[in-house]
Amino acid sequence: MKLPERGTSQEEVLERMRERKAADADWEGGRTWSLVYPAGEEVDEMLRAANELYLFENALNPFRFPSLRTMEDEVCAMTANLLHAPDSFGGAMTSGGTESILMAVKAARDRAVAEKGIENPQALVPYSAHPAFAKACKYLGLEHVQIPLDDDRRADVSAAAKLIGDRTALVVGSAPNYPFGVIDPIPELAALAAERGINFHTDACLGGFLLPFLEDLGEDIPPFDFRVPGVMTISADVHKYGYCTKGASVITHREKAQLHEYQLFVYDAWPGGMYGSFAMAGARPAAPIAAAWSIMNFLGREGYQKLARVIRETTDTLRSGIEAIPELSIWADPVMGVFSFGSEKIDIMAVCDVMDERGWHLDRQTGPDALHMMVSPGHAKVVDAFLADLRRAALHHGTSKGAEARYS
Ligand SMILES: Cc1ncc(COP(=O)(O)O)c(C=O)c1O
């Protein structure tokens, strides 16, 4: 395909885009269970306005756009506070969970090399942790060592204790993990790392902006944040349960000195002047910073608590609805609105085929086979319809792929 010789009118360009977009997932109707975290029209309106206001700026140079610098500092400070960081904390915004994790792995590696002289560093990462850790290890030259899971599908601490060694530069736990929605035994894993003077990272990309509010509502949340000794860095995504548009995550360090020593990149050996950056990107869009700041202020603690309550109620309805279907089981005991379910009796992938045909988009996972759900406030309105379709799919169509023909 070649760049068109002549331009096209705005009206026609938009029309063509709308046509293509019609085939995309219907997240606004609550039919998808991942990727977008719908939280209602008021939230969307705030995000549209904030994005619009900062569409063209560049967050590379904070001195040119001091408003962006202030907003980024405030997003980091509010996040650190939610995660109970001490006053010594340091934080930076990145483009998403993967970039925050890359920076956490880099900081841990550089600390281990500088302070302990570790050569050929390793990272100990639960089998259920997000692939971003494997990616970071591959990019940054660490060996990626997987910690097996226990019967609750949490990282097995005794296995981790056997795996940790002189080359370990980082230990990781998730709060919660993506596949099963359970929180790893963070205090025990962090203690293993702290005893050896190496970093422990909590991946709270999913939980960072939801677990604190479930705790506010009186729920018993297993320890995962900076209240746990030894937790040195935490990733928390504003663009997941913080409800921000995409491109916003925060990496928080317990010690600001480590952020500066092991994460910051500074360079002046070229003719272009001093260049500094806290993460992978050079030029950075301003809109995600503005959107993150706007939504955190727009919702406030009270707004997030309200949305957390909706997620809790919606998840409870879904869980009991799924558990009432004799063919289906929820794997593990999920802590928030992220979980997966499968079956020991029927072919869960065939159930998914039928659900796909009914317009529900669930992510498929293996090990064990399961369908994955991430509940957002926007799903409250579709729970009953979803469960009705799931019941019929499990009852009539769970046994074979060809069974759709029997669907009435
Ligand atoms: C637990 C967890 N960590 C990290 C990530 C990576 O986040 P991103 O897709 O924003 O890079 C995800 C994404 O779903 C996740 O679920």
Side-chain angles (χ1 to χ4, degrees):
M1 183 173 187
K2 285 196 285 185
L3 182 70
E5 279 311 317
R6 275 180 287 281
T8 310
S9 71
Q10 175 182 321
E11 204 180 327
E12 197 184 327
V13 168
L14 287 173
E15 187 47 40
R16 284 195 219 157
M17 288 167 77
R18 283 192 202 99
E19 261 172 38
R20 292 178 179 198
K21 205 165 185 271
D24 290 351
D26 175 17
W27 62 269
E28 282 171 295
R31 313 288 293 191
T32 49
W33 297 89
S34 64
L35 302 170
V36 184
Y37 299 73
E41 190 46 40
E42 280 186 4
V43 166
D44 293 353
E45 269 300 307
M46 178 74 258
L47 291 168
R48 270 187 213 108
N51 274 282
E52 165 85 31
L53 199 60
Y54 278 88
L55 205 50
F56 297 104
E57 283 73 9
N58 184 344
L60 173 60
N61 186 338
F63 301 105
R64 288 285 167 273
F65 302 108
S67 66
L68 287 172
R69 183 188 183 171
T70 311
M71 285 192 286
E72 179 165 3
D73 284 351
E74 291 184 7
V75 166
C76 291
M78 288 187 278
T79 306
N81 178 263
L82 280 178
L83 300 172
H84 296 93
D87 292 344
S88 56
F89 85 90
M93 284 189 73
T94 72
S95 61
T98 301
E99 195 180 8
S100 289
I101 287 168
L102 274 163
M103 299 326 295
V105 174
K106 181 196 132 36
R109 180 200 65 180
D110 288 1
R111 179 186 175 204
V113 170
E115 295 182 10
K116 298 178 62 110
I118 292 182
E119 287 172 18
N120 304 320
Q122 290 176 327
L124 285 196
V125 182
Y127 170 57
S128 52
H130 193 271
F133 290 98
K135 186 180 194 177
C137 287
K138 185 139 189 157
Y139 283 8
L140 298 166
L142 286 88
E143 186 189 352
H144 179 251
V145 179
Q146 287 192 319
I147 308 169
L149 305 185
D150 63 17
D151 292 343
D152 298 332
R153 305 189 194 279
R154 303 175 340 135
D156 183 331
V157 177
S158 54
K162 286 187 197 124
L163 289 168
I164 200 164
D166 293 343
R167 289 170 51 211
T168 310
L170 170 69
V171 182
V172 170
S174 309
N177 61 37
Y178 171 92
F180 307 110
V182 295
I183 300 182
D184 288 317
I186 305 289
E188 293 82 356
L189 292 171
L192 288 176
E195 278 161 22
R196 286 161 180 81
I198 56 172
N199 275 15
F200 177 86
H201 178 78
T202 299
D203 177 11
C205 283
L206 280 172
F209 282 88
L210 182 49
L211 297 173
F213 308 113
L214 290 174
E215 191 178 338
D216 285 352
L217 300 182
E219 296 198 15
D220 203 9
I221 303 295
F224 71 98
D225 62 19
F226 287 110
R227 283 171 288 183
V228 179
V231 170
M232 297 306 289
T233 49
I234 302 183
S235 47
D237 290 356
V238 205
H239 73 196
K240 292 191 171 69
Y241 286 103
Y243 309 114
C244 186
T245 32
K246 291 293 170 269
S249 170
V250 178
I251 163 91
T252 309
H253 288 248
R254 179 183 288 277
E255 301 297 338
K256 190 176 191 156
Q258 286 201 8
L259 169 76
H260 284 264
E261 188 73 19
Y262 303 124
Q263 185 172 323
L264 176 65
F265 175 79
V266 192
Y267 189 77
D268 64 0
W270 75 315
M274 176 67 83
Y275 181 99
S277 104
F278 278 100
M280 305 299 274
R284 291 195 297 152
I289 297 172
W293 186 88
S294 77
I295 205 62
M296 288 171 81
N297 281 285
F298 179 72
L299 287 171
R301 201 160 193 124
E302 210 179 26
Y304 278 113
Q305 286 167 352
K306 258 192 207 157
L307 293 172
R309 188 170 284 120
V310 177
I311 289 183
R312 168 54 62 220
E313 288 165 4
T314 308
T315 307
D316 288 349
T317 310
L318 277 168
R319 277 188 73 170
S320 46
I322 293 169
E323 277 160 357
I325 301 173
E327 288 82 7
L328 304 182
S329 324
I330 294 188
W331 303 142
D333 184 16
V335 70
M336 43 181 241
V338 175
F339 64 94
S340 58
F341 63 94
S343 178
E344 277 157 8
K345 298 177 184 143
I346 60 173
D347 177 359
I348 197 69
M349 297 305 171
V351 173
C352 195
D353 290 341
V354 178
M355 294 302 277
D356 273 342
E357 281 191 3
R358 302 289 295 171
W360 299 106
H361 302 297
L362 295 151
D363 286 337
R364 298 169 194 235
Q365 62 186 42
T366 52
D369 281 0
L371 307 184
H372 190 258
M373 306 191 76
M374 300 212 273
V375 179
S376 287
H379 290 123
K381 60 179 187 247
V382 299
V383 176
D384 293 338
F386 174 84
L387 285 173
D389 277 347
L390 186 63
R391 269 192 292 273
R392 297 171 75 195
L395 191 62
H396 301 295
H397 304 278
T399 45
S400 77
K401 280 208 158 202
E404 291 93 290
R406 296 204 302 273
Y407 199 80
S408 55

